Amino acid sequence: MLPDVAVTRSFHGVASGRRLFLLATLVLFLGALSGCRTLNPEAAPHSAREMDPAYQKMEEGGWISVFLNLKEPAGPDIVMQVTGVEIRKEGSWEHLRTRSFSVASAKIGAGQIFVARNGVLPGYYDSLRFVIEKAEVLGGGAAATLFDSPITVQMDLVRGIEMSRGGSHSLFVTWDVEKTMSDPQGATAGLGVQSQAVPLLTEILFVACPALDTVYVVRTDKNWVISSIGISGKPTYIDVNPQRNLLYVLAADDLAIKVVDLVSFTLIDSYSLEVDFAPDFMVLPPDKEYAFVLDTRGKRLARIDLVSGIMMDRVPLIFEPGFAAYLEEEGLLAVASENTNYVYLFAPDNLRNVGSLAVGIKPAGLVQSGNDLLVAESGSGAVSAYETEGERQVGSVILGYSPKRLLITDNRLYVSGGDAGIVTTMFPGKLTVFSELRVGGGLQELAVSEVNRKLYIGNGSREGLTVIETVAGRVAGFIDLAASPLGMAVID
């Protein structure tokens, strides 16, 4: 039999005889179909995010990404086999995805999944459609077929997309599972699409995906992607100035810092770096007046005025810089070098070298804790604490893997474990391990929403963000971007 909850919800409020007939038919056929082959959402757990062979960049165009979530997280357990996702441009349909994938409502729950993406040419796009091969209602170890011949569900956009060169736009399909099961029109009634909109500037996370020339926008209360911003030139590291409603994006291939107005989500300025300067990393001080940019291969450090866009200082280095952090307590810029195993200290107003610390092997991440500098020593497999004034080590803990990045929030130190796929929580003052979570993948950059108490970890090999609840100390979900993330910034 169908689960009681599914039968009750399906009949509740149903007035038409056709709906009664559909549901009665499902019940009668459950037993007969129990031995038949059913759709298996577990067969390819990441099938909804595998890239389609047609997935490609359009040099003259931009990207369209499609995500799906449920209208209500609770409801009947339905599995749909989708064989194509297409978008209409000026009367002609173009593929966003041709690889078949399964969508299981029970697996989505209160979350969101990525379903399609492709490069598209400039033009006006006004409708999305799913080609659905089959849909089944699961329950009690059996399945009832909603339909077993392909149907096409067309979803018109209330506001179309005017795609321009370098643009990136996201569409969001909402699946009403109850309607899919009980409405005579089935999936046609149960699926609807909305275009992205400019969100309120609160409780959001920005995350750069360099391969897509895109910065995605995530709601930190729901862990849903809600918008995307096209930034040409390989956006890598980002920061935000909430007081001025500006997003600063380091575009490595364009040798520029690009400025986005967060009220309109439009690019309003681009600060060109010198042509022989290859930017690899960017960090901003708390006042957001300047950007400090590292050129690893060229062994250079630069300071850019974020009001005028002028490069105020550029100094040659005797080492290859890899990572930098602004030390607010001392008013210094700390720059780590993996090839010398030192952290160098600079005066931020003129980039004069004022000191150095001999640290462990291959320092990869830095964070300030009181008067100490904590260093993720990836080659030593340790996190160590150093006095910046005394230039000596005052504590260290061996982790057994190569730590990548460090972040402190709510008196907890979080360590991302690189290829080990481990997130370690520590007490920063004593460098004692509080807990370890094995989340898998290749972990790198860290960001935190202090309002929602969630830690976001860039997961390169899984192509998304692992989410940790900082209070409970457990994995809260995964944000599937189907692209490797890099720099992140939060507005709480």
Side-chain angles (χ1 to χ4, degrees):
M1 293 182 65
L2 281 170
D4 291 341
V5 65
V7 175
T8 302
R9 289 179 177 175
S10 298
F11 278 95
H12 178 69
V14 176
S16 75
R18 188 172 181 182
R19 294 183 187 181
L20 292 172
F21 173 78
L22 171 63
L23 293 171
T25 301
L26 292 177
V27 175
L28 289 173
F29 273 94
L30 269 175
L33 293 173
S34 61
C36 299
R37 182 181 64 86
T38 63
L39 299 178
N40 182 9
E42 302 294 341
H46 301 298
S47 60
R49 57 185 297 279
E50 290 174 358
M51 285 296 92
D52 191 283
Y55 170 76
Q56 58 185 332
K57 182 177 182 179
M58 294 289 186
E59 293 297 336
E60 299 301 317
W63 295 104
I64 291 180
S65 304
V66 183
F67 298 86
L68 182 146
N69 54 271
L70 302 185
K71 182 178 180 181
E72 299 291 343
D77 185 0
I78 297 180
V79 180
M80 293 192 304
Q81 188 73 23
V82 182
T83 57
V85 180
E86 301 171 343
I87 193 162
R88 187 173 65 186
K89 172 194 172 188
E90 300 164 3
S92 177
W93 290 96
E94 300 180 7
H95 292 294
L96 293 181
R97 183 188 183 103
T98 58
R99 187 192 294 271
S100 177
F101 63 98
S102 293
V103 180
S105 61
K107 299 298 179 183
I108 301 172
Q112 181 190 69
I113 63 170
F114 166 87
V115 296
R117 175 186 296 125
N118 212 346
V120 297
L121 290 172
Y124 185 75
Y125 295 82
D126 63 4
S127 189
L128 184 76
R129 70 182 183 188
F130 280 12
V131 180
I132 306 173
E133 181 180 357
K134 186 178 182 181
E136 294 175 340
V137 183
L138 306 182
T145 301
L146 281 173
F147 54 86
D148 55 10
S149 58
I151 67 168
T152 299
V153 178
Q154 181 173 329
M155 298 163 274
D156 293 330
L157 291 164
V158 176
R159 296 193 324 273
I161 303 169
E162 188 62 58
M163 179 61 69
S164 58
R165 180 176 181 176
S168 184
H169 201 99
S170 293
L171 298 176
F172 304 95
V173 175
T174 299
W175 184 12
D176 189 330
V177 180
E178 293 278 3
K179 274 192 175 182
T180 300
M181 184 168 170
S182 62
D183 194 286
Q185 297 186 32
T188 301
L191 293 171
V193 66
Q194 289 185 329
S195 183
Q196 69 181 31
V198 177
L200 296 174
L201 296 182
T202 181
E203 297 181 50
I204 55 176
L205 163 74
F206 299 94
V207 53
C209 292
L212 299 176
D213 285 345
T214 293
V215 173
Y216 284 105
V217 186
V218 175
R219 275 184 60 171
T220 57
D221 59 337
K222 287 182 172 289
N223 294 330
W224 288 2
V225 175
I226 57 172
S227 193
S228 55
I229 308 169
I231 302 290
S232 63
K234 189 181 176 184
T236 53
Y237 289 93
I238 61 179
D239 208 332
V240 66
N241 186 337
Q243 284 70 42
R244 299 182 62 196
N245 293 326
L246 297 176
L247 176 71
Y248 299 102
V249 184
L250 182 64
D253 286 355
D254 281 357
L255 310 181
I257 295 174
K258 300 194 175 183
V259 186
V260 177
D261 174 24
L262 294 179
V263 175
S264 60
F265 270 33
T266 56
L267 183 68
I268 60 171
D269 217 335
S270 181
Y271 302 151
S272 296
L273 304 174
E274 296 179 5
V275 293
D276 63 341
F277 195 94
D280 294 299
F281 185 82
M282 178 181 75
V283 63
L284 273 61
D287 60 18
K288 315 296 182 183
E289 291 184 3
Y290 299 95
F292 300 100
V293 181
L294 308 181
D295 176 355
T296 301
R297 290 159 289 179
K299 298 182 181 180
R300 285 168 289 200
L301 167 64
R303 178 173 68 110
I304 293 88
D305 187 311
L306 292 179
V307 175
S308 66
I310 297 173
M311 183 180 286
M312 305 298 292
D313 302 285
R314 188 180 92 158
V315 297
L317 305 173
I318 61 172
F319 59 90
E320 294 180 359
F323 184 85
Y326 189 85
L327 310 183
E328 191 172 5
E329 292 290 328
E330 293 89 346
L332 296 174
L333 180 70
V335 181
S337 174
E338 290 191 1
N339 71 319
T340 65
N341 301 324
Y342 269 80
V343 173
Y344 301 86
L345 304 176
F346 294 85
D349 56 347
N350 57 14
L351 300 187
R352 180 173 59 89
N353 183 213
V354 296
S356 61
L357 301 169
V359 298
I361 302 172
K362 293 187 176 181
L366 309 170
V367 71
Q368 188 173 34
S369 175
N371 293 320
D372 294 336
L373 177 65
L374 305 185
V375 183
E377 299 164 342
S378 62
S380 306
V383 172
S384 299
Y386 296 86
E387 285 183 347
T388 53
E389 290 189 3
E391 298 184 0
R392 66 187 183 92
Q393 187 186 88
V394 293
S396 186
V397 59
I398 301 296
L399 298 177
Y401 62 82
S402 297
K404 188 67 177 179
R405 296 287 188 256
L406 307 174
L407 183 146
I408 293 178
T409 182
D410 197 23
N411 199 34
R412 294 287 191 275
L413 168 67
Y414 294 93
V415 185
S416 64
D419 293 337
I422 298 173
V423 182
T424 299
T425 306
M426 306 172 67
F427 295 108
K430 298 181 179 180
L431 286 187
T432 54
V433 175
F434 177 73
S435 67
E436 281 191 350
L437 286 174
R438 295 182 178 273
V439 301
L443 306 181
Q444 187 159 324
E445 305 299 331
L446 299 169
V448 66
S449 169
E450 294 183 347
V451 168
N452 291 296
R453 297 190 173 184
K454 292 175 184 175
L455 178 73
Y456 296 90
I457 310 158
N459 199 322
S461 57
R462 292 187 64 193
E463 298 190 322
L465 305 177
T466 297
V467 187
I468 305 292
E469 287 185 353
T470 59
V471 175
R474 65 180 183 87
V475 177
F478 182 77
I479 300 171
D480 192 355
L481 301 172
S484 294
L486 199 56
M488 294 182 283
V490 172
I491 297 180
D492 270 336

